[in-house]
Amino acid sequence: MYKKLTLSLLLLFSFSTLEAAYLLKESKRVKSKIDHMPKAKVADMRNIPQNPAYYASQIKPISKAKQKKLDKKFNKMYFKPWHIPKLDIPKKDFGWEIRFITKKPIYRAKGSIIRASTYNKWIDNAHYEQINSKRYRAITIRRTDVKALPTSSSFYRDPRKTGEGFPFDYNQNSALHINVPLLISHFSKDKRWAFVQASYSFGWVKTSDLALVDNTFIKYFENGNYAMVIKDNLRLFNDKKSISLVKVGALFPLSKDGKHYLVASRDKKGHAHIEKVIATKVNIIAKKPLPFTPKNVAMVAKEFYGEPYGWGGSYGCRDCSATTRDFLGTFGIFLHRNSSKQAKDGSTINIKGLKKAEKKKKIIKYADPFRSLLHVPGHIVLYLGQFKGEPVIMHTYWGIRKKDKTKLITGRTIITTTEPGKERKDVREGSKLINTLKTIVKF
């Protein structure tokens, strides 16, 4: 009887904050210098339909059983960091950042070289000899950046070269939504950073952006009943205080009463507590997985259209792989961090080496609108369907390679054919997407 009473009191104390609801509201991303980058237009943006709804009628239904199976895999991968005994990172991926900064010069945004005395301090602060010494379970309490090294400093390759310099900050490894489960390997020497593994990325996160969880928290949070944000650039508030930007793809467990969503907060000691969340509108978050219907795919895809290119999720934006990951995630399909890994997440069809016309026919025949990806090393796109015999894609695209080796910068999420810029005489033929696409990735 005493044990039962103690447990009841413990649960009451742990979840006492459930009475004070947070609010999830429509909002806007704070604009930054990423919004002032060039945004060139090509003929495709005028000549083919730019509303995803036009292509949505071309989708092929997913059976409930298949979508349920995909969603079960998504949930398993999402919560995996709470159920592994130590870091689970391929050897070839580990330590890339040290090799990157020590083998060739790295630069600041304005072009000055970063000295070894500076980056060696970053490496020393990383305290890599302590890997797997902590193995704490944690969760993000706001949207946060994942850094390659434990510093907020940016570093680039030579900014004078095409495709280098801003916004290609190689310290910007990724970005994590709010409510993402983590495994903490260890902390930096200055204790300001934690080396973490999430479901789709790893690296350094500010300790102030995460909270430690225990078995009681995990049992309540990992409850098998989840919702996902379907409206971009929301904001979470506690009273009038802004807690975090919340983007499409962020996951919130549903509370037992079915009327609220759950979010993690952090106390003064760094431990996680569960808070209730009220969505101020019904069409901004939905139970996961969202049914794969023409209406839903068009609605969600439109949220990405026109968003500035955000390398590694920087400045609250997305790069090509973050767009595909967050879009498909709402329908219960899990994708890893970068394009090369996403190309292995589904079943593949090889289209490398085919002539243009043959490749286009094969894409239209075998790719499934709104749930197949097309991959070329370094870039990945969402196949939307076809328009007048041309495959149409949505992709977060930095730019089109020109004959003089510079780029025509599009710098945002656009809808094009597989030959954006084909009307221009200065576009390099061999670099056109249709000539470089290698794989259809199906789910």
Side-chain angles (χ1 to χ4, degrees):
M1 178 66 183
Y2 174 76
K3 288 183 178 180
K4 288 183 179 180
L5 182 60
T6 302
L7 179 60
S8 297
L9 289 171
L10 178 62
L11 289 171
L12 180 63
F13 175 78
S14 298
F15 305 123
S16 60
T17 53
L18 283 173
E19 297 307 314
Y22 284 38
L23 294 179
L24 188 62
K25 298 181 178 181
E26 287 187 303
S27 185
K28 292 183 180 180
R29 175 182 55 83
V30 176
K31 289 192 174 183
S32 65
K33 57 184 178 179
I34 202 71
D35 293 275
H36 302 293
M37 297 300 291
K39 294 179 176 62
K41 290 186 177 181
V42 293
D44 280 348
M45 298 176 189
R46 300 186 298 271
N47 298 336
I48 68 171
Q50 294 295 290
N51 189 338
Y54 176 88
Y55 309 95
S57 62
Q58 299 178 38
I59 69 167
K60 300 172 184 176
I62 304 179
S63 69
K64 288 184 178 180
K66 181 174 182 177
Q67 194 173 16
K68 184 178 180 180
K69 184 178 180 181
L70 288 167
D71 190 57
K72 185 177 180 181
K73 178 184 176 182
F74 180 104
N75 295 340
K76 183 178 180 180
M77 293 297 294
Y78 187 82
F79 290 101
K80 178 183 175 180
W82 285 348
H83 303 289
I84 54 177
K86 60 181 181 179
L87 293 178
D88 181 19
I89 300 170
K91 286 185 179 180
K92 63 182 179 64
D93 294 340
F94 198 83
W96 72 267
E97 68 287 353
I98 296 177
R99 296 189 292 271
F100 184 91
I101 65 175
T102 56
K103 285 187 176 182
K104 293 182 180 180
I106 56 172
Y107 297 76
R108 301 191 190 281
K110 293 185 178 180
S112 62
I113 291 178
I114 298 175
R115 296 180 179 181
S117 58
T118 297
Y119 65 67
N120 281 332
K121 288 179 181 178
W122 301 342
I123 295 172
D124 180 63
N125 192 37
H127 216 195
Y128 281 128
E129 62 271 20
Q130 292 295 310
I131 283 174
N132 284 321
S133 62
K134 298 302 181 184
R135 293 184 280 186
Y136 297 151
R137 294 168 297 178
I139 191 168
T140 56
I141 59 165
R142 61 178 61 89
R143 179 181 169 85
T144 186
D145 291 330
V146 182
K147 298 296 186 179
L149 285 163
T151 174
S152 294
S153 299
S154 299
F155 55 83
Y156 307 86
R157 287 294 189 222
D158 191 345
R160 294 169 295 181
K161 294 183 178 180
T162 300
E164 299 295 350
F166 183 83
F168 301 104
D169 171 13
Y170 289 96
N171 197 33
Q172 181 67 26
N173 206 20
S174 188
L176 298 174
H177 293 295
I178 193 171
N179 273 352
V180 173
L182 306 170
L183 176 71
I184 296 177
S185 160
H186 66 289
F187 296 98
S188 59
K189 283 186 176 180
D190 62 11
K191 306 299 182 185
R192 294 179 180 178
W193 299 86
F195 190 81
V196 306
Q197 180 175 346
S199 60
Y200 58 81
S201 67
F202 65 90
W204 293 95
V205 171
K206 289 181 179 178
T207 53
S208 58
D209 289 345
L210 56 81
L212 302 178
V213 303
D214 58 17
N215 288 335
T216 304
F217 180 98
I218 290 173
K219 184 178 180 180
Y220 201 91
F221 196 88
E222 191 180 351
N223 61 23
N225 198 13
Y226 310 111
M228 193 165 273
V229 171
I230 57 172
K231 180 76 175 176
D232 213 28
N233 297 324
L234 306 181
R235 199 163 290 276
L236 183 70
F237 289 89
N238 178 12
D239 195 12
K240 293 183 180 180
K241 181 183 178 182
S242 173
I243 302 298
S244 178
L245 176 71
V246 181
K247 297 182 74 70
V248 169
L251 182 148
F252 289 78
L254 284 155
S255 63
K256 288 183 179 180
D257 63 15
K259 298 177 182 178
H260 300 87
Y261 307 96
L262 305 180
V263 71
S265 66
R266 172 189 168 100
D267 67 20
K268 292 180 180 180
K269 293 184 178 180
H271 295 105
H273 293 264
I274 292 179
E275 313 288 349
K276 275 188 176 180
V277 177
I278 295 173
T280 57
K281 287 191 175 181
V282 295
N283 62 341
I284 60 176
I285 187 169
K287 185 172 171 56
K288 185 177 79 69
L290 192 65
F292 192 78
T293 65
K295 179 182 177 181
N296 287 340
V297 298
M299 172 185 65
V300 178
K302 195 172 183 179
E303 293 300 308
F304 299 87
Y305 183 75
E307 181 178 46
Y309 182 97
W311 169 262
S314 56
Y315 299 96
C317 297
R318 298 177 177 88
D319 56 17
C320 62
S321 57
T323 293
T324 51
R325 185 185 67 243
D326 285 347
F327 174 79
L328 289 177
T330 61
F331 300 101
I333 298 171
F334 179 85
L335 294 178
H336 282 92
R337 158 69 185 95
N338 57 40
S339 59
S340 61
K341 286 183 169 58
Q342 290 184 4
K344 299 175 183 178
D345 281 330
S347 59
T348 59
I349 297 173
N350 182 27
I351 54 174
K352 180 182 177 181
L354 298 178
K355 292 182 179 179
K356 273 188 188 182
E358 190 179 355
K359 189 179 285 190
K360 289 178 181 181
K361 286 181 181 179
K362 196 164 186 177
I363 290 170
I364 291 172
K365 183 176 180 179
Y366 292 106
D368 297 316
F370 290 87
R371 62 182 168 105
S372 285
L373 308 177
L374 307 179
H375 175 250
V376 58
H379 191 50
I380 199 155
V381 310
L382 178 69
Y383 175 66
L384 296 187
Q386 62 90 20
F387 177 71
K388 295 182 178 180
E390 289 284 341
V392 175
I393 57 179
M394 185 174 79
H395 52 141
T396 306
Y397 200 31
W398 177 244
I400 303 162
R401 181 73 65 179
K402 297 195 290 186
K403 290 177 181 178
D404 64 1
K405 297 185 179 180
T406 63
K407 282 196 171 184
L408 178 71
I409 298 173
T410 51
R412 61 197 186 280
T413 301
I414 57 179
I415 293 175
T416 68
T417 66
T418 53
E419 293 188 82
K422 62 185 175 183
E423 74 283 0
R424 297 176 61 105
K425 293 181 180 180
D426 60 348
V427 169
R428 186 180 175 189
E429 180 65 29
S431 297
K432 288 181 179 178
L433 279 177
I434 190 60
N435 293 321
T436 57
L437 288 169
K438 293 186 175 182
T439 313
I440 300 171
V441 187
K442 294 169 62 72
F443 297 94

